[in-house]
Amino acid sequence: MHEEAGGGTGDSARGPPRPQAWPSHSWFHGKITREQAERLLCPPETGLFLVRESTNYPGDYTLCVSCDGKVEHYRIMYHASKLSIDEEVYFENLMQLVEHYTSDADGLCTRLIKPKLMEGTVAAQDEFFRSGWALNMKDLKLLQTIGKGEFGDVMLGDYRGNKVAVKCIKNDATAQAFLAEASVMTQLRHSNLVQLLGVIVEEKGGLYIVTEYMAKGSLVDYLRSRGRSVLGGDCLLKFSLDVCEAMEYLEGNNFVHRDLAARNVLVSEDNVAKVSDFGLTKEASSTQDTGKLPVKWTAPEALREKKFSTKSDVWSFGILLWEIYSFGRVPYPRIPLKDVVPRVEKGYKMDAPDGCPAAVYEVMKNCWHLDAATRPSFLQLREQLEHIKTHELHL
Ligand code: AMP
C-alpha cells in the first residue's frame, strides 16, 4: 500500500455500497492541494472521501479519506493507462477504483462511505440529465474509429439512423470537467459550432460525447490535402468568415474557447467550417502546465499569466487565418519552438503566407497586438472580413 504520507490501520467501516447513487465523478475535485483536501474533509467523518490530482506526482491522483479524526492520502498511480493504489489491483478509471474501495477497504484505513461532493458540478449534472441531454447507449451503434484526439478516440456512430461523431473520453479529469461545463455547452447553438447532440455516461465510468458528424474532417487536413490548386480565394475567405461568425457568437456569450486552431475546426459535407472542442478546452488549459499549451497558437499574456479571454482567442484566430492562407502549414516555419515565445514577446510577427491578399494579412497582424486591449473584437473582425469579401479584396 502506497500512501502519500501517514499510515492506515486497515479497519473497515460497514454499510451497503452505493456508488451508483452518487452523481458521476462528483467526488473528483481536480487540482486542489493536500491542505485544501483536509479542510474539505472537515468535520471528520470516517469514510468521507474525495479524489484530487496529485500535486507531488503530476499525472497521478490522490485518494483522500477521513478516518478516525485524521485524513489519509493514498497515491493513485497512473501507469500504462491503468490506475492502482497498491500495484496489486488495477483499474481502468477512477469510477471503478472508487467502486472497488466502496465495497471493500482492501487495505485502506476504511472503506469509502460518503463522497465529499464537489460544489457546482452536481447541480450542473442534475440539470444536464433533467434537460434530456443524456442519450441511451442502446440507440447508438459505434461503427469505426475516425480520429484520435487529445481526449480519446473519435468514432463514427449511428444514432437512431443518423450519422454522428462520438468522442470516447477516457480521462477522469476531462470527464469531470466536461460534465461541469455541459450545462453551458447545451445552451450554445450556432450554425458554425459543431453541435452537441447529447452524452452517454456509463456506470463503469465511460463518457461518450455525441456530436454532429463532420464528413470532411479537420480543416487543417482539408487544407493540406486539397491545396492551392483546388481551393480558391473565395473558399479561403468563406472558411475564415465561418470561424469568425462562430467566435463572434461565443464572444457575445462570454465564452472563451482557449484552443482555437485549424485542427479544432471541422468541415461538413457541404463545406461549412465549424468550430469544435469548446467546453473541453477550459479544463485542458486550467489544469495543464503552461508548458503543455499550444505555444504557437496561444497569446503571450495567456502563456505568461494564464490570462485567457476573448482577446486571447482573437490572437489564436489570427494564427488560424495564417493557417488557412498557407493551406495548413505549421505556424512560425523554420523557427525552433523554444525561440517562438521570446521572439513574439519582442514583437516578431509572421510574414504573410505566399499569395495571401494584403487586406487579409492586415487583419491577421491586428490580431497579434501584444497589448490585448488593442486587438479587434470578433464583431469587428467579421465586419472587416465582410468588407474584404464585398470589395473583392481577397482575389
Ligand atoms: P479531436 O479529438 O476533436 O481533436 O478529434 C480528432 C479527430 O477526429 C479530428 O481531427 C477529426 O478528424 C475527427 N473528428 C472529431 N470530431 C469529429 C466530428 N464531429 N465529425 C467528424 N470527424 C471528427
Side-chain angles (χ1 to χ4, degrees):
M1 184 70 48
H2 295 246
E3 293 177 31
E4 277 215 321
T9 59
D11 181 23
S12 107
R14 308 207 176 277
R18 34 186 295 278
Q20 305 89 315
W22 307 327
S24 168
H25 297 95
S26 51
W27 31 257
F28 186 76
H29 288 243
K31 213 172 208 164
I32 57 167
T33 63
R34 184 186 180 89
E35 291 72 29
Q36 284 170 317
E38 296 193 352
R39 275 198 296 277
L40 283 166
L41 296 174
C42 237
E45 189 181 333
T46 292
L48 185 66
F49 73 97
L50 61 82
V51 180
R52 61 181 169 92
E53 287 178 47
S54 171
T55 39
N56 293 341
Y57 306 95
D60 287 355
Y61 300 100
T62 307
L63 171 64
C64 312
V65 195
S66 175
C67 189
D68 295 335
K70 62 184 220 213
V71 176
E72 304 291 351
H73 299 262
Y74 297 96
R75 178 179 172 192
I76 304 173
M77 282 163 290
Y78 181 72
H79 181 66
S81 300
K82 293 261 191 290
L83 296 164
S84 178
I85 291 182
D86 55 11
E87 292 186 280
E88 283 175 20
V89 194
Y90 289 86
F91 306 94
E92 294 286 327
N93 55 47
L94 288 176
M95 293 262 277
Q96 285 178 6
L97 180 141
V98 166
E99 201 169 317
H100 175 81
Y101 289 105
T102 298
S103 47
D104 184 359
D106 196 11
L108 302 188
C109 59
T110 167
R111 139 185 122 64
L112 307 179
I113 299 171
K114 182 175 158 190
K116 175 68 196 175
L117 299 182
M118 167 104 159
E119 275 173 29
T121 59
V122 178
Q125 283 177 48
D126 274 0
E127 184 189 319
F128 178 68
F129 284 101
R130 256 189 289 116
S131 56
W133 285 85
L135 306 179
N136 197 329
M137 194 64 176
K138 280 197 224 84
D139 296 325
L140 179 70
K141 279 199 237 27
L142 293 174
L143 302 174
Q144 73 196 69
T145 304
I146 49 174
K148 286 206 186 300
E150 198 186 330
F151 304 107
D153 286 354
V154 182
M155 304 203 55
L156 172 64
D158 179 297
Y159 186 78
R160 296 183 172 172
N162 297 310
K163 272 188 180 173
V164 292
V166 186
K167 207 165 264 193
C168 314
I169 309 281
K170 292 204 193 94
N171 179 302
D172 296 273
T174 307
Q176 167 70 18
F178 175 83
L179 286 170
E181 281 285 304
S183 63
V184 181
M185 286 188 62
T186 55
Q187 286 156 38
L188 296 173
R189 210 170 260 273
H190 188 276
S191 53
N192 297 110
L193 288 179
V194 174
Q195 183 60 46
L196 174 75
L197 300 174
V199 301
I200 296 170
V201 188
E202 283 189 324
E203 268 186 19
K204 286 186 295 202
L207 175 67
Y208 300 89
I209 301 174
V210 183
T211 67
E212 70 176 299
Y213 174 62
M214 301 290 286
K216 293 188 176 163
S218 91
L219 178 61
V220 72
D221 294 339
Y222 186 87
L223 293 163
R224 284 176 191 167
S225 58
R226 273 72 171 184
R228 203 176 292 277
S229 54
V230 177
L231 304 172
D234 278 346
C235 191
L236 300 185
L237 191 67
K238 161 79 167 47
F239 285 148
S240 310
L241 264 164
D242 282 349
V243 175
C244 195
E245 281 173 33
M247 295 310 297
E248 184 185 356
Y249 172 79
L250 293 185
E251 173 178 76
N253 283 283
N254 293 317
F255 193 92
V256 180
H257 188 291
R258 296 173 179 230
D259 196 10
L260 184 60
R263 64 180 170 278
N264 286 332
V265 174
L266 299 171
V267 182
S268 71
E269 182 64 48
D270 50 354
N271 294 332
V272 179
K274 304 192 185 198
V275 174
S276 122
D277 274 354
F278 46 98
L280 287 176
T281 53
K282 190 170 168 208
E283 186 270 342
S285 3
S286 60
T287 62
Q288 271 178 8
D289 298 333
T290 35
K292 285 190 193 162
L293 289 172
V295 168
K296 292 180 170 182
W297 282 262
T298 309
E301 74 279 3
L303 287 175
R304 235 185 4 248
E305 304 150 58
K306 288 199 170 186
K307 269 196 189 160
F308 288 90
S309 64
T310 297
K311 296 295 190 192
S312 60
D313 278 351
V314 167
W315 178 287
S316 311
F317 180 71
I319 306 286
L320 170 61
L321 280 182
W322 189 94
E323 292 184 273
I324 293 177
Y325 281 85
S326 65
F327 298 91
R329 284 189 79 183
V330 176
Y332 302 99
R334 289 184 295 276
I335 302 182
L337 188 61
K338 67 173 177 37
D339 297 341
V340 169
V341 177
R343 289 187 65 172
V344 166
E345 296 254 9
K346 285 199 197 92
Y348 173 80
K349 292 183 174 63
M350 280 188 282
D351 291 337
D354 281 349
C356 174
V360 175
Y361 184 50
E362 278 310 305
V363 176
M364 274 177 217
K365 281 197 296 186
N366 283 334
C367 297
W368 301 332
H369 279 295
L370 286 178
D371 173 20
T374 318
R375 292 172 210 154
S377 64
F378 280 109
L379 187 150
Q380 289 167 325
L381 285 165
R382 203 244 314 135
E383 287 173 351
Q384 289 163 11
L385 292 172
E386 267 171 2
H387 179 86
I388 291 173
K389 182 176 160 186
T390 315
H391 295 85
E392 301 201 333
L393 303 174
H394 60 294
L395 300 174

